[in-house]
Amino acid sequence: MKSLFAKMAMATALGLGMMSVQLPAHADTKVGLILPYTGTYAALGNAITDGFNMAIEEAGRTDEFSIVTEDTEAKPPVGLAKARKLVLQDKVDVMVGVVSSGVLGAMRDFVHQSQTPLIVANAGNNLATGENCSPYIVRVSFSNGQINRPMGTWMAENGIKTVYTLAPDYSAGHQMIESFSAAFTAAGGEIAGSEFTPFGQTKDFGPYLTNAQSSGADAIFVFYAGGGAINFVKQYGSFDIKTPLFGSGFLTSPLYVAAEGEAAIGVRASLHYIPTLDTPENKAFVDAFMAKHGTMPSEYSVQGYDAGLALMAAVDAGGTDKENIAAALPNVSYVGPRGALEIDPATNNIVQNIYVYDTVMGDDGLTQKLIDTIPSVRDDVAGCQM
Ligand code: BEZ
């Protein structure tokens, strides 16, 4: 995309009088939405897309942004190939997206070397804002550590002494459980056992649930999202496991908690957004989202929405070319549906509240009831050198 200055220079070079050239108030920005639209995380990709589009539409700025979408299938090699296509062939100014930590890990070096800003709207890969950070990667979603460290401390402080952990066997699963376990044991808890299940392939959680129950742990703590979360929670219910279930809040997300049914009741979890937050910013967002989509927004919708707001703010502050967008993104801060947020320029990761919630049956079905708020959670620099 050409900058406004480039268009003006071209008009002059072509001998056109400046007054005769109709220029838009802002030059176009070409955005590559790089998300899973098929596979176990397809619903997440669609929710992020809806949130992103809603931010741009609400602002009345759809004519300023042209959007190319690519399906990563949540597979690292596919994600990298799609990132290369968006940058080298479509010549996007900025990419938005990535759901899987594995895909983000695979894309990181290409994003950095091609100097194309990437607004991360989900993938929590700790390394992308830690030792593999880049001035071109800015995250408006969460890091895997940011969601789970507070829950490790909270559970130990709330009387849980031993925990059995389960998660899918890929980078996000490992990082979420490592972060949780480090904080839980530092606060005096003990890990009774831990297993990783094949990612996107585990249909039968029975053997894992049996091992968790027979470990005698006070609680089970898991990370599952998308289709894996639905299967896991349903099977937890049908095996009638008595050990209480805790998790990263993706487990009983508003996006799919209805599909999990009553088995989700009583699951307690931590997350950076729940739609029941009692703030004017969130109420306005929930009303607008309900009016447009007829469903409650999820954390994924908010991440897409905030990616759209952050992109518009960066374009307004710096202009539409890659360097300016990358330089302006770390300065973004505002109070949005999830509360106050800012980007930490030392890591380019978001700083935000983490909410502990209980999954309960409300008047309109299953919902997330706020139990506790851990304010302004910020990651350590963890080896990041911009
Ligand atoms: C991840 O791979 O980072 C991830 C995927 C789904 C939900 C949350 C995190």
Side-chain angles (χ1 to χ4, degrees):
M1 284 289 97
K2 291 186 176 59
S3 70
L4 184 58
F5 287 117
K7 283 184 178 172
M8 290 164 73
M10 193 189 302
T12 308
L14 291 171
L16 302 172
M18 291 303 293
M19 298 308 290
S20 65
V21 181
Q22 293 298 308
L23 292 169
H26 301 262
D28 282 344
T29 305
K30 196 166 188 183
V31 184
L33 277 189
I34 180 158
L35 288 160
Y37 294 108
T38 55
T40 189
Y41 287 158
L44 287 60
N46 286 318
I48 292 169
T49 305
D50 286 346
F52 180 81
N53 288 337
M54 187 170 142
I56 307 283
E57 282 163 25
E58 251 182 9
R61 298 177 64 169
T62 48
D63 57 341
E64 288 174 46
F65 297 92
S66 57
I67 296 171
V68 188
T69 52
E70 285 296 341
D71 180 8
T72 65
E73 304 168 29
K75 294 179 181 155
V78 178
L80 175 58
K82 296 296 174 71
R84 293 178 66 85
K85 185 247 176 201
L86 285 169
V87 171
L88 301 176
Q89 187 178 316
D90 299 320
K91 308 222 179 300
V92 297
D93 300 302
V94 56
M95 290 188 280
V96 172
V98 193
V99 161
S100 155
S101 284
V103 173
L104 181 54
M107 282 170 55
R108 185 270 168 202
D109 286 354
F110 175 71
V111 169
H112 182 72
Q113 280 152 16
S114 70
Q115 304 186 336
T116 307
L118 167 65
I119 303 177
V120 179
N122 189 72
N125 193 325
N126 291 336
L127 302 178
T129 49
E131 64 187 57
N132 296 337
C133 71
S134 162
Y136 300 97
I137 299 177
V138 175
R139 182 155 47 204
V140 299
S141 48
F142 56 87
S143 77
N144 294 331
Q146 189 178 40
I147 298 280
N148 294 287
R149 283 192 315 269
M151 194 58 173
T153 312
W154 189 91
M155 284 175 65
E157 286 174 353
N158 281 274
I160 293 159
K161 296 193 166 38
T162 54
V163 165
Y164 195 95
T165 68
L166 288 169
D169 189 8
Y170 80 106
S171 48
H174 284 269
Q175 291 179 4
M176 298 225 189
I177 296 302
E178 274 162 25
S179 308
F180 167 81
S181 302
F184 182 63
T185 52
E190 194 186 309
I191 300 297
S194 184
E195 281 186 282
F196 292 95
T197 58
F199 175 45
Q201 293 161 33
T202 311
K203 300 274 176 285
D204 180 9
F205 288 101
Y208 302 102
L209 285 163
T210 307
N211 290 345
Q213 167 127 293
S214 53
S215 75
D218 293 342
I220 303 172
F221 179 88
V222 306
F223 159 65
Y224 287 104
I230 299 172
N231 284 342
F232 183 84
V233 172
K234 276 180 154 175
Q235 289 180 35
Y236 171 83
S238 65
F239 277 82
D240 199 24
I241 305 282
K242 301 287 180 241
T243 316
L245 180 58
F246 292 75
S248 306
F250 312 101
L251 189 61
T252 50
S253 167
L255 187 61
Y256 34 75
V257 71
E260 295 169 348
E262 293 197 353
I265 294 174
V267 171
R268 274 174 279 168
S270 58
L271 205 55
H272 52 300
Y273 175 74
I274 51 174
T276 45
L277 295 176
D278 189 10
T279 65
E281 294 81 11
N282 185 47
K283 284 184 170 156
F285 174 72
V286 170
D287 287 349
F289 194 92
M290 286 285 288
K292 191 166 167 51
H293 296 286
T295 58
M296 288 298 254
S298 66
E299 64 278 19
Y300 308 111
S301 342
V302 169
Q303 291 160 193
Y305 187 75
D306 282 331
L309 294 188
L311 174 58
M312 288 187 285
V315 165
D316 290 347
T320 62
D321 60 77
K322 289 177 169 190
E323 279 303 327
N324 286 336
I325 293 175
L329 280 168
N331 299 322
V332 167
S333 77
Y334 53 87
V335 179
R338 59 178 117 174
L341 66 84
E342 63 180 293
I343 303 298
D344 181 353
T347 60
N348 277 358
N349 194 48
I350 189 168
V351 180
Q352 60 188 338
N353 295 342
I354 297 297
Y355 303 103
V356 181
Y357 74 83
D358 194 1
T359 316
V360 297
M361 185 58 84
D363 294 340
D364 301 317
L366 288 158
T367 186
Q368 296 75 21
K369 183 175 171 219
L370 182 65
I371 310 178
D372 212 346
T373 301
I374 295 101
S376 276
V377 179
R378 180 187 300 264
D379 277 359
D380 287 344
V381 172
C384 168
Q385 287 182 328
M386 284 293 170

mmCIF file of all heavy atoms in Angstrom, residues 175 181 207 229 255 313-314 331-332 336 354 376:
data_model
loop_
_atom_site.group_PDB
_atom_site.id
_atom_site.type_symbol
_atom_site.label_atom_id
_atom_site.label_comp_id
_atom_site.label_asym_id
_atom_site.label_seq_id
_atom_site.Cartn_x
_atom_site.Cartn_y
_atom_site.Cartn_z
ATOM 1 N N GLN A 175 3.485 -24.624 27.975
ATOM 2 C CA GLN A 175 3.761 -23.338 28.640
ATOM 3 C C GLN A 175 2.691 -23.013 29.689
ATOM 4 O O GLN A 175 3.001 -22.474 30.756
ATOM 5 C CB GLN A 175 3.826 -22.217 27.606
ATOM 6 C CG GLN A 175 5.052 -22.326 26.710
ATOM 7 C CD GLN A 175 5.119 -21.234 25.650
ATOM 8 O OE1 GLN A 175 4.280 -20.327 25.609
ATOM 9 N NE2 GLN A 175 6.116 -21.314 24.786
ATOM 10 N N SER A 181 2.115 -24.467 37.208
ATOM 11 C CA SER A 181 2.768 -25.333 38.206
ATOM 12 C C SER A 181 3.837 -24.562 38.981
ATOM 13 O O SER A 181 3.980 -24.749 40.196
ATOM 14 C CB SER A 181 3.404 -26.553 37.519
ATOM 15 O OG SER A 181 2.409 -27.271 36.821
ATOM 16 N N PRO A 207 -8.919 -42.540 29.879
ATOM 17 C CA PRO A 207 -7.743 -43.011 30.629
ATOM 18 C C PRO A 207 -7.058 -41.881 31.406
ATOM 19 O O PRO A 207 -6.577 -42.089 32.519
ATOM 20 C CB PRO A 207 -6.815 -43.548 29.525
ATOM 21 C CG PRO A 207 -7.707 -43.797 28.344
ATOM 22 C CD PRO A 207 -8.845 -42.839 28.449
ATOM 23 N N ALA A 229 -11.789 -28.574 24.244
ATOM 24 C CA ALA A 229 -12.439 -28.185 25.503
ATOM 25 C C ALA A 229 -13.829 -28.811 25.594
ATOM 26 O O ALA A 229 -14.236 -29.324 26.646
ATOM 27 C CB ALA A 229 -12.532 -26.662 25.591
ATOM 28 N N LEU A 255 -17.856 -18.970 24.090
ATOM 29 C CA LEU A 255 -17.967 -19.399 22.691
ATOM 30 C C LEU A 255 -18.521 -20.818 22.571
ATOM 31 O O LEU A 255 -19.199 -21.129 21.595
ATOM 32 C CB LEU A 255 -16.588 -19.310 22.013
ATOM 33 C CG LEU A 255 -16.534 -19.559 20.521
ATOM 34 C CD1 LEU A 255 -17.381 -18.541 19.753
ATOM 35 C CD2 LEU A 255 -15.090 -19.510 20.016
ATOM 36 N N ALA A 313 -5.713 2.888 16.043
ATOM 37 C CA ALA A 313 -4.964 3.875 16.838
ATOM 38 C C ALA A 313 -3.546 4.033 16.296
ATOM 39 O O ALA A 313 -3.017 5.150 16.207
ATOM 40 C CB ALA A 313 -4.930 3.442 18.305
ATOM 41 N N ALA A 314 -2.916 2.913 15.897
ATOM 42 C CA ALA A 314 -1.538 2.977 15.395
ATOM 43 C C ALA A 314 -1.489 3.713 14.056
ATOM 44 O O ALA A 314 -0.591 4.534 13.823
ATOM 45 C CB ALA A 314 -0.972 1.564 15.255
ATOM 46 N N ASN A 331 2.531 1.978 21.911
ATOM 47 C CA ASN A 331 2.026 3.132 22.676
ATOM 48 C C ASN A 331 0.520 3.060 22.922
ATOM 49 O O ASN A 331 -0.043 3.945 23.557
ATOM 50 C CB ASN A 331 2.335 4.427 21.925
ATOM 51 C CG ASN A 331 3.821 4.611 21.745
ATOM 52 O OD1 ASN A 331 4.586 4.292 22.653
ATOM 53 N ND2 ASN A 331 4.240 5.075 20.576
ATOM 54 N N VAL A 332 -0.121 2.013 22.394
ATOM 55 C CA VAL A 332 -1.582 1.927 22.517
ATOM 56 C C VAL A 332 -1.978 1.644 23.966
ATOM 57 O O VAL A 332 -1.400 0.768 24.611
ATOM 58 C CB VAL A 332 -2.107 0.798 21.595
ATOM 59 C CG1 VAL A 332 -3.551 0.463 21.918
ATOM 60 C CG2 VAL A 332 -1.959 1.192 20.128
ATOM 61 N N GLY A 336 -11.058 -0.706 27.761
ATOM 62 C CA GLY A 336 -11.958 -1.388 26.830
ATOM 63 C C GLY A 336 -12.864 -2.365 27.545
ATOM 64 O O GLY A 336 -12.992 -2.313 28.781
ATOM 65 N N ILE A 354 -6.480 -10.090 35.245
ATOM 66 C CA ILE A 354 -6.865 -11.491 35.055
ATOM 67 C C ILE A 354 -8.021 -11.763 36.026
ATOM 68 O O ILE A 354 -7.967 -11.380 37.201
ATOM 69 C CB ILE A 354 -5.673 -12.444 35.328
ATOM 70 C CG1 ILE A 354 -4.541 -12.173 34.317
ATOM 71 C CG2 ILE A 354 -6.113 -13.910 35.268
ATOM 72 C CD1 ILE A 354 -4.864 -12.422 32.847
ATOM 73 N N SER A 376 -3.852 -5.728 36.730
ATOM 74 C CA SER A 376 -2.642 -5.290 35.989
ATOM 75 C C SER A 376 -1.523 -6.325 35.984
ATOM 76 O O SER A 376 -0.433 -6.053 36.467
ATOM 77 C CB SER A 376 -2.097 -4.011 36.621
ATOM 78 O OG SER A 376 -2.747 -2.929 36.121
#
